[in-house]
Amino acid sequence: MRRMTPVARCIPLALGAFLLLGAADPTPLAFAPWINGTAASEPETQVQAIDRDTFVIRQSVKTNFEAPFLYLIFGRDRALLLDTGAGGLKIRPAVDRLVADWRARHGGRTIRLTVAHSHSHGDHHAGDDEFRDRPDTDVVGLKPADVAAFFHFADWPRDVAHLDLGGRVLDVLATPGHQPAHIMVYDARTRLLFSGDMLYPGRLYVPLNHFDDFRASAERLAAFAKTHPVRALLGAHIEMTTTPGKDYPMEAPVHAGEHGLALAPAAIEELRAAVAKAGPVPAIDRHADFIVYPVPARPND
Ligand SMILES: [Zn+2]
Ligand SMILES: [Zn+2]
């Protein structure tokens, strides 16, 4: 029960923020502090609610240095779980608790669970096997073709696909570059963009052989954001500190003084412009809230 406390604390905060800020305010979301490895012990997962149908799950850095963020988004008939964690724990219990709570608040209504991924790196799908025998559950495959087929992309990666959760339709953007199967998910209801490993407060790794794809994805993302209001971006990790431009060492076991999870929507244009002007041999490009981080080619991924 202890690990559920932050949810209860956060709901009034988040709802208050929605009421006070109105439709167009890009003020960052009001999350309580995240578990960050600084305490002697911390729960394996921490959940915070953005609203009664939208949840963030953080995996403890003590279970895996990646300390990823997962997202659970409910519609009337279906819920989307975006990512299953980096391993080093059982992730399904945290998800099942949230689903059970949601069902209890909706008269025991059955809800189908779609398990999809921001992309196919191992720190985002390590928990998939826990969901394969779960009733009323679809686990989306890891290859770009699997993702394109599941979401019914007609022209991956150029078109935008949709996932209808029942009264809540998500937009799914194909954003290859960091990894070929990378997607972002936009929720028009909350105006949140779940941005995976392409754009978050940390090192945005781009294999050199995929830099052109990354640049094209950044352009498409910026075009999308011109016609879809974005309140904030919620990515899959935090690797920046509260000091602008300063990241943690690789595989840091503790994240004292962590940057906030949310990025302001201005980060979209900042990233687009940064990669647009990167030359034929892109270099590490440090910004206040993220670092464009070219890495050697990954021919098979
Ligand atoms: Zn990744
Ligand atoms: Zn990752």
Side-chain angles (χ1 to χ4, degrees):
M1 287 309 290
R2 206 168 72 81
R3 72 188 55 166
M4 296 300 288
T5 308
V7 181
R9 268 214 312 272
C10 189
I11 284 175
L13 261 180
L15 292 179
F18 281 126
L19 292 174
L20 287 171
L21 300 176
D25 196 300
T27 304
L29 298 169
F31 290 115
W34 292 104
I35 52 173
N36 62 6
T38 53
S41 71
E42 62 183 32
E44 290 186 325
T45 56
Q46 176 190 7
V47 176
Q48 296 202 47
I50 292 170
D51 60 31
R52 294 169 72 80
D53 298 314
T54 314
F55 298 88
V56 189
I57 304 170
R58 193 197 201 158
Q59 178 178 343
S60 166
V61 71
K62 291 177 187 286
T63 63
N64 186 290
F65 73 88
E66 297 280 8
F69 291 85
L70 291 60
Y71 298 95
L72 183 62
I73 305 165
F74 288 86
R76 201 174 46 235
D77 308 312
R78 184 186 288 268
L80 171 68
L81 174 65
L82 195 57
D83 292 345
T84 60
L89 82 173
K90 287 260 180 278
I91 196 73
R92 184 174 149 185
V95 176
D96 282 348
R97 273 196 300 274
L98 288 169
V99 172
D101 289 350
W102 189 94
R103 292 186 65 204
R105 286 190 277 113
H106 292 80
R109 173 199 286 274
T110 298
I111 187 147
R112 198 162 183 87
L113 180 67
T114 293
V115 178
H117 313 93
S118 59
H119 63 294
S120 304
H121 284 154
D123 53 319
H124 301 274
H125 63 79
D128 276 19
D129 284 350
E130 296 176 57
F131 293 89
R132 296 199 194 283
D133 62 353
R134 190 181 183 281
D136 302 315
T137 302
D138 309 301
V139 180
V140 181
L142 297 175
K143 294 189 165 57
D146 301 328
V147 180
F150 183 86
F151 291 110
H152 305 293
F153 277 87
D155 185 21
W156 171 281
R158 280 167 289 275
D159 59 335
V160 174
H162 305 283
L163 180 65
D164 188 350
L165 302 177
R168 189 177 193 178
V169 180
L170 304 176
D171 293 301
V172 183
L173 290 77
T175 48
H178 170 74
Q179 193 275 329
H182 198 286
I183 59 170
M184 287 191 189
V185 174
Y186 174 73
D187 174 33
R189 185 198 285 186
T190 56
R191 293 174 286 110
L192 293 173
L193 181 68
F194 301 95
S195 53
D197 273 11
M198 178 174 175
L199 186 47
Y200 67 93
R203 293 180 289 267
L204 312 180
Y205 296 114
V206 188
L208 284 170
N209 57 322
H210 296 316
F211 204 91
D212 287 347
D213 289 341
F214 189 87
R215 187 187 285 117
S217 290
E219 293 287 350
R220 287 195 311 277
L221 172 62
F224 179 87
K226 282 199 166 65
T227 53
H228 298 76
V230 175
R231 182 179 180 216
L233 287 77
L234 297 176
H237 302 279
I238 301 173
E239 291 154 0
M240 302 303 284
T241 67
T242 48
T243 303
K246 187 173 191 302
D247 54 332
Y248 296 104
M250 303 276 179
E251 304 192 16
V254 171
H255 285 198
E258 225 176 29
H259 190 291
L261 170 61
L263 285 177
I268 295 172
E269 174 56 24
E270 189 175 346
L271 177 66
R272 188 206 64 77
V275 296
K277 73 173 171 51
V281 187
I284 292 173
D285 183 9
R286 203 169 281 271
H287 294 243
D289 299 313
F290 59 81
I291 305 169
V292 180
Y293 214 102
V295 292
R298 295 181 68 155
N300 301 318
D301 183 23

